[in-house]
Amino acid sequence: MLEQLTIQNFAIIDQVDLSFDDQLTVLTGETGAGKSIIIDALAMVTGGRASTEMIRKGADKAVLQAVFSLVGDRAAGLREQLSAAGIELSDDQVVIYREFNHKGRSIVRINGVIVPLKVLSEFGSQLVEIQGQHDTSLLLNQDHHLDLLDQFAETDLSRAKDEYQGLFYRYRDITRQIDQLKNRRQDINQRLDLLSFQQEELKEANLQPGEEDQLLADRSKLANHKKIADALDQAQQALNPGLDGGAIDLLAAAHQAMTQAAAYDSDFENLAQSLSEAYYAAQDAGRDLDEAVSDLTFDEGALVEIDDRLQVIHNLKRKYGESVDEILAFQQKVDRELADLDGGSFDLESLTKEKETIKGKIVAAAQALTKSRQKVAKKLEKAVNRELADLLMEQAYFEVQFTPVTGFLPSGADKVAFFVQTNQGEGTKPLEKAASGGEASRLMLALKTIFIAQHGLPTVVFDEIDTGVSGRVGSAIAKKMRTIAEKTQVMAITHLPQVAAAATHHFLIEKFNQNDRTVTQVKDLPENQRDEAIAMMLSGNQVTDAALANAKDLRAKAQG
């Protein structure tokens, strides 16, 4: 419920502080005085779109603040929503602060916590619903009738709608995939040919990780065979003990000499030991060298094979990667894409079968949704006709008509239109053709009364929806608003004295010039001034005794 609203530097309002009651509050005043500006401010502070044009001339920014108390059926859900956004509550009170400046910068706070505008919009839409003349025009537009019917729906219809829409969107996605596959068939076939060629070429090459490095090492050995053989021969000659002066013989002689010296002087034992170790190491190296020389062969055919293999790798590197590892990674990618193109998500036959299966399910789901809607429509017809009788449209008859559509729509297989008979014996006609302005207002009020009762809206604003009615009809509308206000906070901008008379709280909006500036002033009328305000609505600026008496009588009857 809205408790307070503060408006600063907004349109022609300099500063306004309003406090609200929990029942029926009316805002009255001359046309252009600023009544709708207050409703615009309320819309913006609960998440509506802000415009820099609404900042009062000469001001840097506009500031709006509203205080709500969480009451009613939606309170628990709203508390959870605030908690999820990290916003703490104190005594179930919510303070919303919003400011915006000429640069388009906007700041939004809920209980002191800065939040994105989207969070405010989602939260604010559950706090206040504003019903204006524009919404009455929506009622006359058949494109909105299905949505209005579904809003009246209960859990069963919601489940049927969710099931249908799940199938519908899957059916639509598959249909798009099939169309894309058909349109891309030639491209896909060309891609398949290329990938198949690449896969076969890479499979035939049979590359192995690290293969190129090993081939280059083997090639280096074969290409330098003569240099290796010459080096081994030189080493063999230098070590061969069979030749005079061979390293092994010389080490043997040196070892023998140092052994003799060590026999006379123990200081040479270490040196003799070192020469002994060098001698035996040279012998081992000589044997290894002899073995290497005997094993050394040159295979010209192997060198040719290595060169051919390296050329294969070189050709593949030009096409698929700068290294063998990159080529192998590309090969895996080709294999995966071929698997997809050959089947899986690109399997046209499989998708077509799935589409036919879903088509059968979606037909059944659409039929179930239609049946659920038809049940809801009967309840809506009964409820609206009961409300219309309360609004002095006893001879009117409201009905919901269904027309099947060809194919499937996101909303189902139904086209829904509201029909009404306003005069007995004329038969029902589409709402936009049968309802006058005043009748459309009453129809909207009847629907809104039903929706408010069903959804537990905390605060509802009626912005001049009583336009085009007067007399007894005005009194009926006033009574209906007062009935709604027994369970829901109601605010109404009205020019009807009957509605004003039924209010428990009355604001008078006035506009005047002050220091060459237009200023809007809001008066919270005390009890002793309300009769006179209603009398002015009846007779104009000249309040006659008759008008004042009439106003007192209206209030007495409306207040019960």
Side-chain angles (χ1 to χ4, degrees):
M1 183 189 82
L2 177 64
E3 293 185 349
Q4 292 179 323
L5 178 64
T6 299
I7 306 170
Q8 296 176 4
N9 298 323
F10 188 76
I12 60 174
I13 295 177
D14 181 23
Q15 171 81 32
V16 165
D17 295 288
L18 305 176
S19 296
F20 295 90
D21 290 338
D22 60 349
Q23 297 185 33
L24 175 59
T25 297
V26 295
L27 293 83
T28 66
E30 297 295 331
T31 301
K35 301 184 299 297
S36 293
I37 294 175
I38 293 173
I39 303 305
D40 291 341
L42 179 59
M44 288 187 190
V45 82
T46 52
R49 188 172 182 178
S51 170
T52 57
E53 295 178 357
M54 298 302 290
I55 301 174
R56 183 169 171 78
K57 186 177 180 181
D60 295 329
K61 62 184 179 181
V63 176
L64 307 171
Q65 183 167 290
V67 179
F68 291 89
S69 58
L70 300 186
V71 296
D73 298 338
R74 294 193 178 188
L78 291 170
R79 292 188 197 101
E80 292 179 5
Q81 192 172 347
L82 288 173
S83 178
I87 299 169
E88 295 183 357
L89 275 174
S90 177
D91 298 327
D92 276 345
Q93 193 172 71
V94 178
V95 180
I96 300 175
Y97 174 92
R98 185 175 184 185
E99 71 172 53
F100 51 97
N101 59 28
H102 288 288
K103 294 181 180 179
R105 184 172 179 267
S106 178
I107 297 176
V108 176
R109 290 189 179 92
I110 300 179
N111 283 6
V113 178
I114 295 178
V115 298
L117 181 59
K118 182 180 180 181
V119 171
L120 175 62
S121 298
E122 292 173 351
F123 181 68
S125 65
Q126 300 180 67
L127 291 173
V128 177
E129 180 164 330
I130 298 174
Q131 188 73 41
Q133 297 180 61
H134 171 67
D135 299 290
T136 303
S137 66
L138 291 181
L139 177 65
L140 301 179
N141 186 339
Q142 289 189 11
D143 293 339
H144 298 279
H145 291 176
L146 183 61
D147 289 337
L148 289 171
L149 176 65
D150 287 350
Q151 286 179 32
F152 185 68
E154 297 178 351
T155 305
D156 290 344
L157 191 150
S158 298
R159 282 198 296 262
K161 188 174 181 179
D162 289 343
E163 181 178 354
Y164 168 83
Q165 288 184 332
L167 291 167
F168 170 82
Y169 288 117
R170 178 57 185 157
Y171 181 84
R172 188 178 67 177
D173 289 343
I174 292 176
T175 301
R176 287 177 178 174
Q177 289 184 50
I178 291 172
D179 291 341
Q180 289 173 356
L181 284 176
K182 288 179 178 179
N183 293 334
R184 293 173 51 210
R185 177 69 68 110
Q186 184 176 357
D187 293 339
I188 291 174
N189 288 338
Q190 291 175 351
R191 183 67 176 162
L192 276 170
D193 290 343
L194 174 61
L195 291 171
S196 297
F197 171 79
Q198 292 173 335
Q199 184 185 58
E200 185 62 29
E201 184 178 32
L202 292 167
K203 183 178 180 181
E204 185 178 349
N206 192 29
L207 295 185
Q208 302 299 319
E211 178 182 4
E212 186 178 23
D213 293 338
Q214 185 60 49
L215 287 171
L216 290 172
D218 292 344
R219 188 186 186 286
S220 178
K221 292 179 183 179
L222 290 171
N224 293 288
H225 176 270
K226 188 175 186 308
K227 292 178 180 180
I228 294 172
D230 290 345
L232 292 178
D233 183 61
Q234 290 177 8
Q236 196 175 39
Q237 290 182 30
L239 288 174
N240 194 332
L243 300 176
D244 292 338
I248 295 176
D249 289 341
L250 293 174
L251 284 170
H255 173 251
Q256 185 177 4
M258 288 309 302
T259 301
Q260 291 177 356
Y264 302 113
D265 188 345
S266 61
D267 289 342
F268 295 109
E269 288 181 355
N270 290 337
L271 184 56
Q273 181 63 32
S274 296
L275 287 171
S276 174
E277 292 173 357
Y279 168 72
Y280 288 115
Q283 278 191 324
D284 289 339
R287 283 192 293 271
D288 291 342
L289 184 58
D290 291 341
E291 185 177 344
V293 169
S294 64
D295 292 340
L296 186 64
T297 58
F298 175 71
D299 186 348
E300 186 175 357
L303 181 59
V304 172
E305 288 179 1
I306 289 174
D307 284 338
D308 290 344
R309 184 62 174 171
L310 287 171
Q311 186 60 44
V312 169
I313 294 174
H314 176 72
N315 291 337
L316 294 176
K317 285 167 71 175
R318 286 192 296 108
K319 295 180 180 179
Y320 307 124
E322 296 181 358
S323 67
V324 171
D325 288 343
E326 289 187 13
I327 295 171
L328 291 173
F330 181 83
Q331 184 176 6
Q332 291 178 350
K333 180 181 176 182
V334 168
D335 291 341
R336 286 195 300 269
E337 189 174 352
L338 264 176
D340 287 339
L341 287 172
D342 284 338
S345 59
F346 290 93
D347 188 346
L348 184 60
E349 182 178 352
S350 174
L351 287 173
T352 302
K353 289 181 180 178
E354 185 178 358
K355 178 183 176 181
E356 290 304 314
T357 300
I358 293 178
K359 184 177 181 180
K361 293 180 179 179
I362 202 172
V363 169
Q367 291 173 346
L369 179 57
T370 297
K371 289 182 179 179
S372 294
R373 279 181 172 146
Q374 288 171 342
K375 291 180 181 178
V376 171
K378 293 298 181 185
K379 294 179 181 179
L380 180 61
E381 289 171 349
K382 184 177 179 180
V384 171
N385 287 322
R386 183 171 58 247
E387 295 296 332
L388 290 178
D390 291 344
L391 292 168
L392 304 184
M393 293 180 69
E394 299 91 342
Q395 303 301 320
Y397 176 74
F398 171 86
E399 70 175 4
V400 182
Q401 293 192 6
F402 287 77
T403 304
V405 298
T406 303
F408 305 116
L409 298 174
S411 57
D414 307 313
K415 183 177 180 181
V416 168
F418 293 164
F419 278 62
V420 66
Q421 172 185 274
T422 55
N423 295 298
Q424 190 172 9
E426 291 184 353
T428 58
K429 297 179 182 178
L431 209 60
E432 68 272 17
K433 295 181 179 179
S436 65
E439 289 166 339
S441 296
R442 281 183 281 174
L443 280 163
M444 178 54 78
L445 183 57
L447 287 169
K448 189 55 60 178
T449 301
I450 296 164
F451 293 148
I452 290 169
Q454 184 171 3
H455 298 296
L457 296 170
T459 301
V460 178
V461 179
F462 293 110
D463 187 2
E464 298 190 18
I465 72 158
D466 50 22
T467 300
V469 300
S470 60
R472 292 177 60 244
V473 174
S475 297
I477 289 178
K479 184 178 180 181
K480 182 58 63 179
M481 286 188 182
R482 192 173 174 90
T483 300
I484 296 172
E486 291 176 0
K487 295 183 178 180
T488 298
Q489 183 186 39
V490 176
M491 284 182 281
I493 293 179
T494 183
H495 291 285
L496 279 180
Q498 293 92 334
V499 173
T504 53
H505 196 182
H506 190 154
F507 287 116
L508 177 64
I509 318 297
E510 295 178 315
K511 181 173 67 174
F512 59 92
N513 292 326
Q514 185 179 66
N515 298 326
D516 297 326
R517 292 291 303 273
T518 300
V519 176
T520 289
Q521 177 179 279
V522 181
K523 291 183 179 179
D524 187 354
L525 296 181
E527 184 69 24
N528 60 2
Q529 294 181 19
R530 292 174 60 181
D531 290 339
E532 184 176 352
I534 295 171
M536 289 177 64
M537 298 175 70
L538 288 166
S539 63
N541 291 330
Q542 296 293 329
V543 178
T544 64
D545 292 340
L548 190 58
N550 192 6
K552 290 181 178 181
D553 185 56
L554 275 177
R555 289 196 65 219
K557 291 179 179 178
Q559 299 294 329

